[in-house]
Amino acid sequence: MDILKKIQDHREQEEELKWEGTFSEYLDLLKERPYLAQSAHSRVYNMIKSAGVAEEHDHKRYKFFDEDIYGLDEAMEKLVEEYFHPAARRLDVRKRILLLMGPVSGGKSTLVNLLKRGMEKYTHTDEGAVFAIKGCPMHEDPLHLVPNHLRKDFQEEYGIRIEGSLSPLNTMRVETEYGGRIEDVLVERIFFSEDKRTGIGTFSPSDPKSQDIADLTGSIDFSTIAQYGSESDPRAYRFDGELNKANRGIMEFQEMLKCDEKFLWHLLSLTQEGNFKAGRFALISADELIIAHTNEAEYRSFIANKKNEALHSRMIVMPVPYNLKVSQEERIYEKMIRESDIRDVHIAPHTLRVAAMFTILTRLKESKKASIDVLKKMRLYDGEILEGFSDVDVEELKKEHADEGMSGIDPRYVINRISSTIIKKELTSINALDVLRSLKDGLGSHASISNEDKERYLDFISLARKEYDEIAKKEVQKAFVYSYEESAVTLMDNYLDNVEAYCNKAKLRDPLTGEELNPDERLMRSIEEQIGVSENAKKAFREEILIRISAYARKGKKFDYQSHERLREAIQKKLFADLKDVVKITTSTKTPDEQQLKKINEVVATLIDEHGYNSSSANELLKYVGSLLNR
């Protein structure tokens, strides 16, 4: 579709959503849709909930965060359940500043931006519609027009509780423009927009000597004093501070604890009483979610200062740690690369995964359990099933260290090193070894890494390298086995015949001699040992295979090479072990003969077609695995 046509369609949709009417007509709307009168906190909570909630292992995953926040499902669940939900129900937490605390590049700013963009979209829906007094610079709630002495009656009739007082400006407008007839006051539908400063405000600290409190609360328009005669006339005041403009929505304080104290004191009254002081006026009501973010060092320094106790008691601190799941870290890198100018460079499969392994290892704390090292912990956190461990063990591991994930290598460092490698060497293709080398080279120039941490991180690079060695061998193994697929199917059929005889306590018949034979225990064990099936567990494993075959037969399906993942892996490993000498010769010979060259080309083609490599990275992988097998 033509982009200009899309712009026109969008403009027409915006026009259709607009609404304007009198306060009387707005009350008719409320009778049909009382949810229109919800608070800012309630609107944010309902926006999050409307995207969907999934129940997973006794935890809730809020889908609203899925596209931008990776690996922090539990932190997001805590944020919603302990702050947004109770605040939406008008419990006391709504009178608190939400302070997100976490390490650099951990997702705090991304989370706030997600909420702001989400609110912009949500106010375009029926459920998230917001109505305000027309012409009010603070987008004031029309229900503030209801006099205090009638609010109890209003609540009984409409089931809606009104909080907050009519602002000085609108009090004057009701008298001067509408002759005191509140039912005639014009109301309009508004749409939140950070760019247009409607319902979303952002405050960023700068030099305390030059930054003015007017940035928060607005200021006197001196050019109008001669016209209106007094500084206390609300028409002579510009209600254009961030607190004014964020009314009904979200107010973001960037790096809040870097702010000068005079800016923070305004928040005491706003959070606790729902109002703030501006100019020579009575307190101005405001309904807004105040969300701030900071790092742990600044937060510790802040709470150590006794002068900050009053403000600290009005905060809800939510830790936003680093992600601790390898697969989710990989998604973070993929997203950052998509948004960069290096997205056209070929990145070999497993490159980002290996980088993610290193990064996650730097963030994990040693377990108190002797049976769990950091590699096992990394795998368990990523959802891998390890023999002897359950979900209960994973939950216990997470409770060992409350601050796990609050330190370590941040994603930006990894992307910076990948970018550096590509640009310096002018590469069009990179692999895991390139990235591990670059990560190692960069540790010395990383200002915030101590010598002690540097030594630990070098060990983690070695661990990640060993993990990559296994991945590389397995990748080549799969490609070779693919070329020998007929052999793999024959081997599996042979194994299944023996398993069936073993479980049924029967004998096999030799197809050539007709002789009856006992099941081949050596063959079965040589395959099962490839995936760690112990002597004690072999009977249960074989019975499981037989049950699976029977289940397939009942459904009229044939049990084949793809039907059991662990058995397929065992067959591949066994075949690869048998082919190891062929692989070593084929991958390491400098002058391959015709047969070897044919096999290399087949494997390279498989790596390209089936596994996502290009010609360069596939050949590099083969050379590397050849060198590993010849050690």
Side-chain angles (χ1 to χ4, degrees):
M1 189 187 287
D2 179 18
I3 190 65
L4 293 176
K5 179 73 169 66
K6 284 185 176 181
I7 292 169
Q8 183 183 335
D9 290 346
H10 176 70
R11 187 165 57 243
E12 288 171 2
Q13 288 167 7
E14 292 280 294
E15 284 298 319
E16 286 175 13
L17 290 174
K18 287 181 180 178
W19 184 93
E20 184 179 308
T22 63
F23 181 59
S24 175
E25 290 168 327
Y26 173 65
L27 291 182
D28 290 337
L29 272 184
L30 282 188
K31 280 195 173 175
E32 295 171 24
R33 297 151 65 191
Y35 59 82
L36 294 176
Q38 63 188 318
S39 68
H41 289 83
S42 174
R43 195 171 287 110
V44 172
Y45 172 67
N46 286 326
M47 170 193 70
I48 293 169
K49 202 170 65 165
S50 69
V53 186
E55 298 276 350
E56 297 175 353
H57 310 297
D58 297 327
H59 286 289
K60 288 181 180 176
R61 177 172 62 81
Y62 288 91
K63 297 179 182 179
F64 175 80
F65 304 104
D66 281 0
E67 288 186 22
D68 292 273
I69 307 290
Y70 304 129
L72 296 180
D73 291 346
E74 289 173 28
M76 294 304 100
E77 180 188 20
K78 185 178 180 184
L79 174 64
V80 176
E81 296 296 319
E82 295 186 15
Y83 184 80
F84 288 126
H85 191 184
R89 301 292 293 272
R90 296 181 186 268
L91 293 172
D92 219 41
V93 294
R94 73 193 172 103
K95 298 178 180 179
R96 307 286 181 271
I97 299 164
L98 175 60
L99 180 64
L100 305 175
M101 180 189 68
V104 294
S105 192
K108 302 184 296 296
S109 298
T110 302
L111 173 56
V112 178
N113 282 329
L114 188 59
L115 291 171
K116 291 195 291 190
R117 298 295 82 76
M119 284 303 285
E120 288 177 340
K121 290 179 185 174
Y122 192 60
T123 56
H124 283 75
T125 66
D126 286 343
E127 297 80 13
V130 185
F131 293 82
I133 296 173
K134 187 177 182 183
C136 173
M138 285 183 60
H139 335 293
E140 187 165 8
D141 186 345
L143 292 183
H144 287 180
L145 290 163
V146 178
N148 286 326
H149 67 279
L150 295 177
R151 289 186 177 184
K152 189 175 180 183
D153 295 337
F154 180 86
Q155 186 171 351
E156 288 175 3
E157 184 178 346
Y158 286 82
I160 298 168
R161 192 166 80 200
I162 302 172
E163 294 180 333
S165 303
L166 195 62
S167 66
L169 179 60
N170 285 323
T171 301
M172 176 175 280
R173 288 181 63 210
V174 168
E175 294 302 320
T176 57
E177 294 178 29
Y178 297 99
R181 291 178 56 83
I182 63 169
E183 62 269 33
D184 293 339
V185 173
L186 288 178
V187 174
E188 64 178 347
R189 183 173 178 181
I190 61 168
F191 305 97
F192 287 180
S193 166
E194 186 171 20
D195 293 339
K196 296 177 182 177
R197 301 186 74 214
T198 305
I200 296 174
T202 304
F203 184 81
S204 185
S206 59
D207 182 3
K209 292 176 183 174
S210 60
Q211 193 158 36
D212 192 344
I213 199 69
D215 294 347
L216 271 185
T217 60
S219 61
I220 297 166
D221 185 351
F222 289 101
S223 66
T224 62
I225 292 176
Q227 181 183 350
Y228 297 119
S230 169
E231 290 183 17
S232 60
D233 189 311
R235 293 170 297 180
Y237 197 85
R238 289 194 297 255
F239 293 90
D240 60 356
E242 296 302 325
L243 292 181
N244 307 110
K245 294 299 181 181
N247 186 33
R248 314 292 301 285
I250 294 175
M251 172 68 200
E252 178 194 5
F253 265 80
Q254 296 178 347
E255 301 297 340
M256 177 183 175
L257 303 185
K258 288 178 180 169
C259 282
D260 189 67
E261 288 177 6
K262 66 183 178 183
F263 293 96
L264 299 181
W265 298 138
H266 274 277
L267 302 182
L268 292 175
S269 173
L270 180 57
T271 52
Q272 194 64 34
E273 308 300 334
N275 51 45
F276 63 93
K277 192 81 173 75
R280 298 177 182 179
F281 307 115
L283 290 169
I284 296 174
S285 294
D287 171 30
E288 50 199 84
L289 161 64
I290 300 175
I291 185 166
H293 38 93
T294 189
N295 60 50
E296 193 170 5
E298 283 176 352
Y299 175 69
R300 300 292 170 210
S301 173
F302 175 78
I303 60 175
N305 186 345
K306 294 291 182 185
K307 286 165 51 177
N308 296 326
E309 282 182 0
L311 192 57
H312 181 231
S313 69
R314 287 169 171 81
M315 289 178 179
I316 295 264
V317 181
M318 283 288 166
V320 181
Y322 282 133
N323 156 60
L324 296 176
K325 295 178 180 178
V326 171
S327 55
Q328 297 299 310
E329 189 73 11
E330 198 175 352
R331 287 183 69 198
I332 293 172
Y333 301 156
E334 286 168 356
K335 180 190 173 192
M336 294 171 87
I337 286 167
R338 277 198 309 272
E339 294 169 352
S340 74
D341 290 335
I342 60 172
R343 61 185 176 275
D344 297 329
V345 173
H346 174 76
I347 298 175
H350 310 294
T351 298
L352 299 181
R353 182 167 185 80
V354 171
M357 285 178 181
F358 161 70
T359 312
I360 298 299
L361 288 170
T362 69
R363 299 171 185 172
L364 295 176
K365 304 269 185 183
E366 292 281 350
S367 173
K368 295 168 187 173
K369 297 181 180 180
S371 60
I372 298 180
D373 58 22
V374 283
L375 275 175
K376 277 185 184 171
K377 193 176 190 181
M378 177 188 78
R379 292 195 176 99
L380 286 168
Y381 275 14
D382 203 34
E384 286 189 41
I385 297 169
L386 300 184
E387 196 173 340
F389 297 99
S390 66
D391 291 342
V392 175
D393 295 306
V394 177
E395 291 301 319
E396 287 177 2
L397 281 174
K398 289 175 180 176
K399 290 173 184 173
E400 281 187 342
H401 302 282
D403 62 340
E404 191 167 52
M406 297 299 278
S407 60
I409 292 290
D410 66 278
R412 284 184 197 141
Y413 172 74
V414 176
I415 294 300
N416 289 346
R417 295 311 304 167
I418 290 173
S419 305
S420 174
T421 303
I422 291 167
I423 291 162
K424 276 184 184 176
K425 298 182 180 179
E426 297 183 352
L427 298 175
T428 56
S429 172
I430 60 167
N431 59 35
L433 295 177
D434 294 324
V435 172
L436 286 176
R437 277 190 220 102
S438 185
L439 289 170
K440 183 178 180 181
D441 293 343
L443 292 177
S445 56
H446 199 300
S448 63
I449 297 178
S450 65
N451 287 331
E452 183 184 346
D453 282 341
K454 184 180 175 185
E455 291 301 314
R456 283 176 52 243
Y457 292 174
L458 288 171
D459 290 341
F460 292 145
I461 285 175
S462 298
L463 278 177
R465 169 75 178 267
K466 286 176 185 171
E467 289 295 298
Y468 175 65
D469 289 352
E470 291 305 310
I471 290 170
K473 283 189 277 190
K474 191 179 284 188
E475 198 83 322
V476 172
Q477 162 194 314
K478 282 182 188 173
F480 261 88
V481 169
Y482 186 84
S483 301
Y484 286 89
E485 188 156 5
E486 283 184 21
S487 305
V489 171
T490 303
L491 181 60
M492 193 190 79
D493 287 344
N494 196 359
Y495 172 79
L496 293 177
D497 289 342
N498 280 278
V499 163
E500 194 171 354
Y502 170 85
C503 291
N504 294 329
K505 296 184 171 55
K507 290 185 180 290
L508 291 165
R509 190 174 294 278
D510 190 303
L512 295 176
T513 65
E515 180 186 357
E516 286 194 335
L517 302 169
N518 288 321
D520 190 341
E521 185 65 23
R522 179 189 279 179
L523 170 75
M524 289 187 287
R525 291 302 295 143
S526 70
I527 291 169
E528 291 157 357
E529 284 169 352
Q530 300 295 330
I531 52 171
V533 176
S534 65
E535 184 70 27
N536 293 333
K538 71 180 184 184
K539 186 172 183 291
F541 181 75
R542 292 169 189 177
E543 288 173 347
E544 180 202 324
I545 296 292
L546 203 61
I547 290 168
R548 183 75 67 90
I549 292 171
S550 301
Y552 269 64
R554 279 198 306 275
K555 293 174 184 175
K557 290 163 56 176
K558 187 179 184 305
F559 186 92
D560 61 20
Y561 185 55
Q562 305 293 328
S563 301
H564 194 287
E565 193 174 327
R566 289 190 74 209
L567 179 57
R568 185 171 77 248
E569 182 187 352
I571 296 290
Q572 286 177 346
K573 284 185 172 179
K574 167 64 177 162
L575 192 57
F576 188 65
D578 295 344
L579 293 170
K580 210 166 194 176
D581 289 337
V582 177
V583 176
K584 281 166 71 173
I585 293 166
T586 308
T587 55
S588 59
T589 184
K590 289 180 181 175
T591 53
D593 60 30
E594 188 179 339
Q595 189 63 30
Q596 289 168 341
L597 195 60
K598 182 185 174 190
K599 183 56 63 181
I600 287 172
N601 290 337
E602 281 179 9
V603 172
V604 167
T606 302
L607 288 170
I608 293 169
D609 296 339
E610 302 291 328
H611 299 283
Y613 290 81
N614 67 1
S615 177
S616 170
S617 60
N619 280 293
E620 284 175 1
L621 178 72
L622 279 177
K623 284 178 191 171
Y624 182 63
V625 171
S627 70
L628 287 177
L629 294 174
N630 279 303
R631 283 178 190 172

